[in-house]
Amino acid sequence: MLTVLIPTYHYNALPLVEAIYKQCKAVGIPFEIIVQDDASHSTFNAENKKINLLENCHFSSNTENLGRGRNINTMVLKAKNDYILLLDCDTMPTHTSFIQNYSNEIKKDTTVVFGGIVYHDEKPKQENLLRWVYGKSRESLSVVQRSKNSYFSTLTSNLLVKKSIFQSNPFNENIVNYGYEDVVWAKQLKEKKIKITHIDNPTYHLNLETSELFLKKIHQSLDNLNLISNLGLLLPSDNRILKTYKTIHNLHLSGLISFFYTIFHKKIEANLFSNHPNLFLLDIYKLGYFCKIQSK
């Protein structure tokens, strides 16, 4: 019935596996849980190896780094059941009916289901605040909010998919770096008119990077967006940054915005690392950085 896939990298996935295992046993469905580390060679894998002691649970580590998309594609090939549930390793179900809710969707023969993601209400330390503020504002969306933009508000961090659908629409393996692979995948479904159903079945996102690391990952994701755009995998109509950049480029303003980024990015970073990070400034920062890499 269900194969739970948990790709991991330098993270202890055992607590998540134990929680999912307990729920699957309680619901009484045929299941397996597959965890695959993408060659992190992490000390956490000593804990992850304990996953193999649980019934129908399997942990392995790649000998070479595949990248997130290709790693997941290889995991899908191992899946024995008709449905797969993709979970990020740094998530945790918010309630004990998590697997039961997805089991109900499987019985309805639903093809693709996104359950959502939420963040704990407790404010973290200042050094982790930007990731928390961003997640609470931009990712932790209600079913109504997500359904208004069904495809591009879908994340693969908590996603139930019919295996046959995923096998026909795998992650694009030309995308090896971090960022926007979810968006490219969702676009495939949109073009084929494969419906994504949104339900209220969230997981907590647990691993809050430091603001400095989160900003570094934003740089990496924008570099990857540039590559994805150059490959023609995303168009300006698919992404707000690409759309905005196209507009300002047509107005011959991209060079000016790149210049302002060069002058003011440190001051913006000071705000983003502060106790009151401003997401509007983050949007300006991202656009400025994207203009800068376009001008190279």
Side-chain angles (χ1 to χ4, degrees):
M1 188 179 200
L2 179 65
T3 296
V4 182
L5 302 180
I6 305 173
T8 187
Y9 187 88
H10 191 59
Y11 199 83
N12 179 11
L14 181 60
L16 173 59
V17 171
E18 289 176 332
I20 296 298
Y21 174 85
K22 183 177 180 180
Q23 289 198 24
C24 287
K25 294 289 283 186
V27 174
I29 59 172
F31 75 95
E32 62 177 345
I33 302 174
I34 299 174
V35 182
Q36 188 162 291
D37 175 78
D38 197 15
S40 72
H41 308 294
S42 171
T43 55
F44 286 121
N45 287 344
E47 286 295 295
N48 286 329
K49 287 177 181 177
K50 296 177 183 178
I51 292 167
N52 291 316
L53 301 176
L54 297 172
E55 180 187 5
N56 299 326
C57 296
H58 315 280
F59 169 77
S60 63
S61 184
N62 299 332
T63 56
E64 62 174 321
N65 185 270
L66 303 179
R68 184 170 183 271
R70 189 177 166 202
N71 189 36
I72 292 173
N73 287 347
T74 62
M75 295 175 75
V76 172
L77 294 176
K78 297 178 180 179
K80 298 176 182 177
N81 296 311
D82 292 335
Y83 274 85
I84 60 173
L85 174 59
L86 276 175
L87 291 175
D88 276 358
C89 59
D90 58 353
T91 60
M92 186 65 66
T94 62
H95 47 73
T96 56
S97 59
F98 179 74
I99 292 297
Q100 181 64 67
N101 291 341
Y102 277 136
S103 176
N104 294 339
E105 294 299 325
I106 292 173
K107 291 173 183 176
K108 296 176 189 176
D109 201 35
T110 314
T111 53
V112 185
V113 187
F114 178 48
I117 188 168
V118 295
Y119 289 74
H120 287 290
D121 290 331
E122 183 181 356
K123 188 176 180 180
K125 295 182 293 184
Q126 181 176 325
E127 65 181 22
N128 306 106
L129 192 57
L130 179 60
R131 184 67 185 92
W132 180 78
V133 170
Y134 181 88
K136 293 274 284 186
S137 177
R138 302 287 174 83
E139 295 175 343
S140 184
L141 305 176
S142 68
V143 173
V144 172
Q145 289 171 310
R146 286 188 267 124
S147 297
K148 289 178 181 178
N149 190 12
S150 179
Y151 293 95
F152 297 130
S153 61
T154 295
L155 304 173
T156 55
S157 56
N158 176 20
L159 190 75
L160 179 74
V161 189
K162 230 178 192 180
K163 186 173 74 171
S164 59
I165 293 292
F166 194 96
Q167 288 177 318
S168 300
N169 301 274
F171 278 108
N172 190 311
E173 294 190 0
N174 290 318
I175 305 173
V176 295
N177 297 321
Y178 168 81
Y180 294 94
E181 65 274 10
D182 290 2
V183 181
V184 173
W185 185 81
K187 183 184 177 182
Q188 293 182 71
L189 270 59
K190 182 179 181 182
E191 290 174 342
K192 295 183 180 180
K193 295 181 170 57
I194 299 171
K195 182 181 178 181
I196 298 179
T197 300
H198 289 261
I199 66 172
D200 186 19
N201 197 36
T203 54
Y204 285 118
H205 180 242
L206 302 178
N207 186 31
L208 295 177
E209 307 104 327
T210 64
S211 300
E212 185 175 348
L213 179 57
F214 181 52
L215 210 58
K216 182 178 179 181
K217 292 178 73 172
I218 285 175
H219 289 173
Q220 292 171 345
S221 69
L222 292 172
D223 291 338
N224 210 35
L225 178 61
N226 183 39
L227 173 64
I228 289 169
S229 174
N230 290 337
L231 292 172
L233 299 175
L234 286 178
L235 302 175
S237 57
D238 301 321
N239 177 266
R240 186 173 64 174
I241 291 177
L242 293 178
K243 184 177 181 180
T244 305
Y245 174 77
K246 180 182 178 181
T247 299
I248 63 175
H249 179 72
N250 290 341
L251 294 171
H252 305 288
L253 295 174
S254 56
L256 180 62
I257 292 177
S258 174
F259 173 76
F260 274 104
Y261 170 84
T262 302
I263 299 298
F264 293 109
H265 73 279
K266 288 296 183 182
K267 289 186 177 181
I268 296 177
E269 288 174 6
N271 169 267
L272 298 178
F273 296 158
S274 74
N275 204 36
H276 300 283
N278 186 306
L279 294 186
F280 175 73
L281 287 179
L282 177 62
D283 292 338
I284 297 297
Y285 182 94
K286 290 166 68 175
L287 182 60
Y289 180 80
F290 195 74
C291 289
K292 181 180 178 181
I293 61 177
Q294 289 292 322
S295 64
K296 291 181 178 179

